[in-house]
Amino acid sequence: MALHDDLLDALRTVANVHLVARLVDERLGCPDPDDLRVFVPDLHLVSDAVRRRYSYNTNHTDLLADVLYQIAALRSRRGTDQTLSVYQLGDCFDLWREEPLPDRRTDAADRVFDSHERLMEVMLSRGVKTRFLLGNHDIDLHRWPNYRAWSRRYYIQPKQAAQPTLLALHGDVFDWIENLLPDEVQQLVVYVTHPMLEGSDYDLGDMVKVVARGHEGADYSKRIQGNASVGPVQALDGAPLPESFNVKRFGGSKKSTQHFAAARDLAKDLRRRHAGLDLRCIVIGHTHNARIVVPKSDGDDFFALVDCGAWIETCSAKVGSKTVRMPNAQLGVIGENDVRIYQLAPKGTA
Amino acid sequence: MKLALSCGPLALVLAACCGVERPTYLAVPEQIFREPVAAPIDLEDAAGWPAARDRLVAFLRAGGNQDNVEDGTIVVLDAATRYAPLLDAVARPENRDVEDLAAGVYAPWLAGPPVRHVVDARDEAPGRDRHVLFDGDFAWVFTASRRRLVGLTVVRRHDWRREE
């Protein structure tokens, strides 16, 4: 049985699973059925004390821990030639809601960790080996040794690929590209894509300042990104899945194709700068809006933006003929030239 | 974007030349952040160097994280070309006197002067045989014997380089 089927079986032992979107395309550049990458988008974890102050919070943390334990078990059973890797796409912690004073955020991170011990233990376990990205809500973590391995980008070179074909980013860089003055953007994009610049570099101070500015005046009392509309979702009831499902075309609604042009241009620039690099897919979180976006027409240069959604706030989805609002609880999965986004819910719920 | 990416080396030069605290000691990080994970590469083993060099490049490409090496997760995309001149220099026996570290032989790539204080919980007692130069997120830990550089371990740094 293919690794993706094994993963799906494992997910279904602990969750009801719906398909949010699917794209099968050999140009994704990850052909090997024994190489699967799982992406966990924004969690925005806060401590128990802070959680009580908000009307919205991280959804289904126990379910996510259960999912990760299933993945750990699957990883322990897998063959030596199989890869099953987990990436958290940034904003794992929400230090902006947790602690207003930057210098106190290391204690804040520990508080958050302690409030979510089961989840964090399995995420950090050697069984899962989660790789973390820094997001705009937890960028301050780069200052402390325990988080120094958290990065701003991961290029992924799947088996059978001669070069990396996927790039995972938090996605906040595309806010800057779309909203800041060109000079400022040019400087900041360096911090995300330059091979030798990491969260630890002192001149990241400029980026941290821009991130801080982005939070200034933001009112997180009721929302961060707000409700997302994901369109139709399909229950996984054993029926064959369509090869293309709920894939958005660039040029459609602005909200559902947000950041596509900036991501496509970034990939194009990286391909130009690095000989042999055939980067055709960028994976992000940040917007809390799960979707897969491709170019306007099949004749255009192929590129896919995969936004894996979130585990906070809500989305509206069409289930059959009804529109249902559900807590965001999504995973992105890529392998065998097949990218899917799943929506999860605890067993016994809708 | 073109301008943006070409600014990178400038930022690095600035980071290397001014405004950055020089570390006074190195804390050797956990196993997954070291290459090799155990004993240093034997620099006097010329036959073993090509394989050791390949492992080093893979480690640097992976951002200094063995978990990334395992599954093709890459942080430093151009590590192979970026580090080729440095690794060529390390391979040459004439560049392996302890004095070469302070004399600037490695200055084009690694920041000095060498740090001598290394905290490694695996040691039985503090030692004086290590000389550390720095390069962005990596520390290059040379082991010396009788004033010759005989071993090399590259580790991912866990300190945050603050602005002075």
Side-chain angles (χ1 to χ4, degrees):
Chain A
M1 185 184 273
L3 192 54
H4 201 144
D5 293 332
D6 290 341
L7 174 71
L8 209 43
D9 283 348
L11 294 179
R12 289 165 75 179
T13 62
V14 294
N16 292 334
V17 185
H18 281 80
L19 182 68
V20 175
R22 183 186 189 197
L23 172 70
V24 179
D25 194 305
E26 63 183 20
R27 290 169 294 182
L28 286 164
C30 41
D32 199 312
D34 286 322
D35 186 325
L36 206 59
R37 313 287 167 149
V38 177
F39 300 91
V40 180
D42 305 38
L43 305 181
H44 289 268
L45 295 167
V46 292
S47 67
D48 290 337
V50 170
R51 189 163 39 187
R52 292 185 203 106
R53 292 185 220 149
Y54 290 89
S55 58
Y56 66 97
N57 275 299
T58 309
N59 304 318
H60 304 319
T61 49
D62 283 339
L63 171 61
L64 180 56
D66 290 342
V67 164
L68 293 167
Y69 277 112
Q70 288 294 324
I71 289 175
L74 190 53
R75 279 173 52 88
S76 72
R77 293 196 303 269
R78 81 199 142 128
T80 50
D81 57 344
Q82 291 183 311
T83 296
L84 174 57
S85 300
V86 177
Y87 302 85
Q88 200 283 320
L89 290 169
D91 286 357
C92 181
F93 293 174
D94 194 333
L95 300 182
W96 283 87
R97 287 193 299 143
E98 182 68 30
E99 173 56 64
L101 299 173
D103 285 343
R104 290 191 189 164
R105 287 192 181 135
T106 180
D107 296 339
D110 291 338
R111 278 201 306 273
V112 177
F113 189 102
D114 292 344
S115 293
H116 300 278
E117 209 166 359
R118 180 168 177 264
L119 174 59
M120 290 312 299
E121 273 186 8
V122 67
M123 283 189 103
L124 293 168
S125 70
R126 301 304 294 151
V128 177
K129 295 186 180 175
T130 307
R131 256 55 61 78
F132 292 85
L133 288 169
L134 292 164
N136 54 320
H137 284 254
D138 53 14
I139 183 75
D140 296 275
L141 292 175
H142 75 268
R143 300 182 194 189
W144 299 298
N146 281 353
Y147 304 96
R148 286 278 290 102
W150 296 26
S151 187
R152 287 290 297 171
R153 78 284 173 173
Y154 292 119
Y155 296 91
I156 298 169
Q157 182 171 343
K159 287 181 181 178
Q160 295 187 35
Q163 288 269 356
T165 55
L166 309 171
L167 171 60
L169 301 170
H170 176 58
D172 50 336
V173 63
F174 302 123
D175 279 350
W176 307 336
I177 290 172
E178 289 167 6
N179 298 324
L180 297 179
L181 296 170
D183 286 351
E184 210 168 17
V185 168
Q186 289 184 349
Q187 185 191 21
L188 292 167
V189 170
V190 167
Y191 297 132
V192 180
T193 59
H194 193 280
M196 287 305 291
L197 288 173
E198 265 293 359
S200 54
D201 288 285
Y202 85 96
D203 44 2
L204 269 180
D206 287 345
M207 189 181 79
V208 174
K209 279 178 206 159
V210 169
V211 171
R213 215 168 69 206
H215 289 286
E216 270 171 23
D219 178 6
Y220 297 128
S221 62
K222 301 232 169 15
R223 64 193 287 273
I224 299 173
Q225 300 281 7
N227 184 61
S229 178
V230 296
V233 299
Q234 180 173 326
L236 299 187
D237 52 10
L241 293 176
E243 286 210 343
S244 177
F245 178 74
N246 199 15
V247 175
K248 317 289 185 195
R249 290 271 181 193
F250 180 57
S253 95
K254 199 175 170 189
K255 176 83 176 161
S256 69
T257 62
Q258 183 189 13
H259 296 336
F260 176 84
R264 178 200 56 199
D265 293 349
L266 176 62
K268 197 173 173 183
D269 194 68
L270 288 165
R271 289 199 303 271
R272 185 185 57 78
R273 294 186 59 79
H274 296 277
L277 182 68
D278 196 23
L279 184 66
R280 298 288 171 178
C281 179
I282 292 184
V283 184
I284 63 169
H286 183 57
T287 71
H288 305 182
N289 185 357
R291 66 229 154 86
I292 298 172
V293 192
V294 296
K296 199 169 188 173
S297 74
D298 289 331
D300 294 340
D301 206 15
F302 177 79
F303 174 75
L305 174 67
V306 179
D307 185 335
C308 297
W311 285 70
I312 192 164
E313 302 192 296
T314 56
C315 62
S316 297
K318 272 190 91 173
V319 185
S321 59
K322 289 183 184 168
T323 299
V324 179
R325 186 177 278 212
M326 48 182 79
N328 281 327
Q330 290 119 11
L331 294 179
V333 182
I334 301 181
E336 207 176 354
N337 288 331
D338 181 353
V339 50
R340 303 183 202 178
I341 300 172
Y342 295 123
Q343 162 74 27
L344 309 183
K347 285 274 191 193
T349 62
Chain B
M1 185 69 70
K2 191 193 289 185
L3 175 61
L5 293 169
S6 63
C7 285
L10 174 64
L12 278 177
V13 170
L14 291 173
C17 297
C18 56
V20 183
E21 270 179 22
R22 177 174 172 262
T24 53
Y25 70 95
L26 174 77
V28 176
E30 298 84 350
Q31 182 172 303
I32 62 166
F33 302 117
R34 304 191 299 261
E35 174 55 40
V37 296
I41 294 165
D42 181 353
L43 290 175
E44 297 189 319
D45 175 14
W49 173 248
R53 177 181 170 135
D54 287 348
R55 284 200 317 274
L56 259 182
V57 169
F59 179 73
L60 294 161
R61 195 168 185 244
N65 185 339
Q66 297 284 5
D67 289 349
N68 292 345
V69 175
E70 203 174 88
D71 65 4
T73 300
I74 295 153
V75 176
V76 182
L77 200 52
D78 63 351
T81 48
R82 179 176 295 272
Y83 288 102
L86 168 58
L87 293 170
D88 289 345
V90 171
R92 284 194 284 273
E94 65 269 27
N95 292 338
R96 291 210 298 268
D97 289 332
V98 165
E99 286 68 29
D100 291 330
L101 298 176
V105 170
Y106 296 100
W109 312 286
L110 301 176
V115 164
R116 302 294 306 278
H117 299 275
V118 175
V119 180
D120 188 338
R122 297 171 299 170
D123 292 344
E124 189 177 357
R128 294 275 298 155
D129 61 340
R130 277 158 295 184
H131 305 253
V132 187
L133 298 177
F134 296 94
D135 152 50
D137 277 316
F138 301 104
W140 295 64
V141 185
F142 292 90
T143 313
S145 174
R146 296 179 186 173
R147 307 304 293 166
R148 287 284 292 168
L149 303 174
V150 295
L152 172 65
T153 306
V154 178
V155 305
R156 186 177 167 98
R157 294 172 66 178
H158 274 24
D159 59 315
W160 179 48
R161 299 186 293 290
R162 277 174 190 277
E163 215 170 333
E164 276 180 342

